[in-house]
Amino acid sequence: MKSVAIVGAGPSGLAAALMLARQGRDVVVFERFEQAGPVGAGFMLQPTGLAVLDALGLTPAVEAMAQPIDHIFGREARRGRIVLDVRYADLARPRPALGVHRAALFEVLHRACLEAGVRFETGREMVAADSGRLTDARGVSLPPFDLVIDASGARSRIAAARGARARPLSYGALWATVPWPGAPFDERALQQVYRGAARMIGVLPVGARPGSPDRLATFFWSLKTADHAAWRAEGLEPWKAEIRALWPETAGLLETLTDPDQLTLARYGHHTLARPVGDRLAVIGDAAHSTSPQLGQGVNMGLLDAWSLTEALASEADPAAALSAYARRRRWHVRLYQALSLGFTPFYQADGRLLPWVRDHILGKVARLPLSPRLLAATVSGLLLDPRTRGLR
């Protein structure tokens, strides 16, 4: 299997491209935008995703721009009751996560891909893949590749043709990149404040963009996607007043938000592609499995997909056997985290009072029982049913 086409230049697509190029394969990445670049705000690289970067030798370059995260902390707005408390020190093998701006991870992966000889074709939106032959949005079909990897995200038309149908979730979130606000915010923690399950505010330290020393944070606010137009029409001041009432310490941070266009609405959906492989085709990342971000696994799951696929291709001489091995290796980890994300979401993004009451009065106490902190830390870190246990450490 020599020639490989990858659709999408996100983290999972770039990681797969780099690994396969280092195996000596001829790799070309097709990107629908005119210039490949990062899309979205900051996120958390969990220990699972960091282990993949370790294997690539790229962790130090990402760490130089990122912010270590030791702690995830959430409290209820009215009474200050602690309802989420996750510490990476509770892991059997403690390792902090990293808060990362998407531009930082893209820069490191993209540069490494170019150095490895990966070719990029931009302004090419691929909409179909059949037996290794890609067809773009203009109806132009390319000569067949030995393998096509679909890493084009949750709205992939290639995955949709294989039966992937995202079930839209009613709640999304507004995201913005803001200057790091400093004290009283903890630079080593993701902090969240909730009012019921209909209001969630978060501040995540994400380090710096490439070429800049300025430290940044990702600020987010839970919002129903159907309410986005009304939010824009109402203006920022009533929204800011509501946030200040729930979390007064955000007042300085909110002053940096002066235009609704600074905030991007992220829409979430849930789907799992029953079989993420086909004839000369592998589907990875959000194209294969998308969900809400409550467990912060999106990028990390995509990196694990890329690692699992390239390891299978390296260890199996028969291409069909390699694709089947990839699907098996990822099956149970993906299903577990899809189920966990779907189960946790209503406790943090939903209407009604029962589930947030259970979260605030019961789940917080359960999380403090013996062994619960380690289990909770392992869950958030992506380590349950970790597919790397059969290879990468």
Side-chain angles (χ1 to χ4, degrees):
M1 188 175 289
K2 182 66 175 176
S3 63
V4 181
I6 297 178
V7 182
S12 56
L14 291 177
L18 178 57
M19 294 177 198
L20 291 170
R22 288 180 176 179
Q23 290 179 359
R25 306 179 198 272
D26 181 18
V27 182
V28 57
V29 175
F30 294 95
E31 171 55 51
R32 66 188 179 93
F33 294 112
E34 291 298 330
Q35 182 174 349
V39 177
F43 62 94
M44 290 179 67
L45 272 175
Q46 302 289 358
T48 46
L50 287 170
V52 176
L53 292 184
D54 291 346
L56 291 171
L58 299 180
T59 303
V62 175
E63 285 178 332
M65 292 180 278
Q67 173 59 48
I69 303 294
D70 300 323
H71 190 194
I72 301 175
F73 179 81
R75 64 175 176 83
E76 187 270 334
R78 290 193 178 99
R79 296 175 179 82
R81 182 182 290 110
I82 297 172
V83 297
L84 181 66
D85 190 358
V86 181
R87 298 177 185 272
Y88 290 87
D90 289 327
L91 292 171
R93 298 178 181 177
R95 183 176 192 177
L98 290 181
V100 184
H101 194 281
R102 287 184 183 269
L105 182 60
F106 175 84
E107 167 73 15
V108 171
L109 285 170
H110 185 251
R111 183 174 64 246
C113 282
L114 293 175
E115 292 171 352
V118 175
R119 293 178 293 118
F120 288 82
E121 290 197 22
T122 57
R124 298 290 300 270
E125 182 179 5
M126 297 299 169
V127 300
D130 182 18
S131 300
R133 188 182 296 273
L134 282 168
T135 302
D136 67 18
R138 297 185 294 257
V140 177
S141 294
L142 279 63
F145 292 85
D146 294 332
L147 177 66
V148 170
I149 299 174
D150 179 17
S152 58
R155 294 171 178 81
S156 164
R157 293 173 66 175
I158 295 172
R162 298 191 59 78
R165 293 290 185 273
R167 186 179 77 192
L169 299 176
S170 60
Y171 275 86
L174 292 168
W175 297 78
T177 298
V178 298
W180 172 245
F185 294 94
D186 184 349
E187 66 177 7
R188 297 183 70 94
L190 164 59
Q191 296 173 261
Q192 298 176 334
V193 168
Y194 321 107
R195 191 190 75 189
R199 294 289 182 266
M200 177 172 65
I201 317 164
V203 177
L204 169 66
V206 294
R209 292 187 179 96
S212 172
D214 298 332
R215 311 304 283 181
L216 302 169
T218 289
F219 173 80
F220 56 92
W221 165 263
S222 186
L223 182 73
K224 279 188 171 181
T225 56
D227 293 340
H228 185 231
W231 172 83
R232 288 186 66 94
E234 190 175 46
L236 292 181
E237 290 311 314
W239 173 70
K240 289 183 179 182
E242 182 178 4
I243 294 174
R244 286 192 294 265
L246 296 172
W247 196 355
E249 292 82 359
T250 61
L253 179 155
L254 293 171
E255 290 178 3
T256 68
L257 299 173
T258 59
D259 187 324
D261 289 337
Q262 291 176 260
L263 294 115
T264 301
L265 177 67
R267 294 175 170 86
Y268 305 127
H270 183 95
H271 81 260
T272 304
L273 196 58
R275 185 163 173 76
V277 295
D279 181 17
R280 301 197 204 179
L281 174 69
V283 186
I284 67 175
D286 284 350
H289 42 75
S290 68
T291 188
S292 76
Q294 298 308 319
L295 290 177
Q297 297 299 315
V299 170
N300 302 280
M301 297 282 276
L303 291 174
L304 285 173
D305 289 347
W307 175 82
S308 297
L309 174 60
T310 54
E311 285 290 297
L313 290 169
S315 60
E316 296 282 351
D318 178 62
L323 294 178
S324 294
Y326 157 65
R328 287 195 307 272
R329 178 169 286 185
R330 293 298 292 128
R331 181 178 297 126
W332 294 112
H333 186 258
V334 167
R335 288 182 178 178
L336 173 63
Y337 276 90
Q338 289 286 84
L340 289 172
S341 295
L342 194 62
F344 273 110
T345 293
F347 290 95
Y348 293 91
Q349 285 187 306
D351 299 319
R353 298 181 180 180
L354 176 60
L355 291 180
W357 185 92
V358 171
R359 177 197 68 198
D360 296 348
H361 293 82
I362 298 176
L363 295 184
K365 295 178 181 178
V366 170
R368 291 190 288 273
L369 294 174
L371 300 181
S372 290
R374 176 167 292 185
L375 178 60
L376 187 57
T379 301
V380 170
S381 298
L383 295 170
L384 301 181
L385 299 183
D386 185 353
R388 301 171 304 119
T389 55
R390 291 196 293 174
L392 176 63
R393 280 288 186 181

